[in-house]
Amino acid sequence: MPRLASVLALAFSALLPLTGCRLADVQPEVERSELIGVWKSDRGGVIDFRTDGTFTAQNVTFPDQCKVTGGEYADRYRVSGTGTWVVGNHSDEPYGAVMEFHPKGDRPMTGSCTVWAPLVPEDHSTMHLMYDSTDEPYRRG
């Protein structure tokens, strides 16, 4: 059995150049436990990831796909709400939380609202909401 594992590892490493990947490019998955808890930004945003796969968000700037009707949307527009989350990533971005967001209040959303929040790969202590042009990092609070 150990010989089979060695042969498979050798075959895998031989195929990597053909796929355009290098071992350094393969990013490890994030553990759920690394995301669970409260994350805060310096601008007053708070996201609380719970163990049951739900989250609450307060005073966060979400990307354009989370636009709600009934008002102008801009980077300064902040929103609160709830949703569900899983560990994942978007295309070639680092792993983090993939969130399905539901805004609070009576303003209905226009379409789907999936938000990616990748963790900074070096130490997983900071996350960014993708497409947030305000560069508002969130850190475990």
Side-chain angles (χ1 to χ4, degrees):
M1 189 60 116
R3 181 182 165 125
L4 178 60
S6 297
V7 170
L8 289 174
L10 181 61
F12 176 71
S13 63
L15 291 174
L16 280 176
L18 298 175
T19 65
C21 284
R22 299 184 324 248
L23 285 176
D25 293 335
V26 178
Q27 299 177 15
E29 278 199 35
V30 170
E31 298 292 327
R32 281 180 55 87
S33 61
E34 293 180 89
L35 292 165
I36 294 169
V38 177
W39 294 75
K40 297 179 180 180
S41 78
D42 292 340
R43 296 183 57 203
V46 178
I47 304 172
D48 182 4
F49 294 102
R50 298 187 181 123
T51 58
D52 65 358
T54 63
F55 73 92
T56 59
Q58 298 171 345
N59 197 34
V60 296
T61 302
F62 273 149
D64 198 35
Q65 75 259 26
C66 294
K67 181 177 180 178
V68 293
T69 60
E72 180 183 339
Y73 181 83
D75 285 340
R76 67 186 178 281
Y77 184 71
R78 303 185 72 80
V79 65
S80 297
T82 61
T84 57
W85 69 278
V86 296
V87 173
N89 72 329
H90 179 265
S91 67
D92 63 347
E93 295 295 325
Y95 280 88
V98 180
M99 301 180 283
E100 187 64 34
F101 180 68
H102 306 284
K104 181 178 165 183
D106 59 356
R107 297 177 294 181
M109 287 183 6
T110 59
S112 175
C113 184
T114 301
V115 179
W116 293 272
L119 291 175
V120 174
E122 290 78 28
D123 64 3
H124 294 176
S125 67
T126 305
M127 75 170 54
H128 292 271
L129 299 178
M130 286 191 57
Y131 311 114
D132 177 7
S133 63
T134 62
D135 191 27
E136 184 176 347
Y138 283 76
R139 292 180 181 82
R140 192 175 295 281

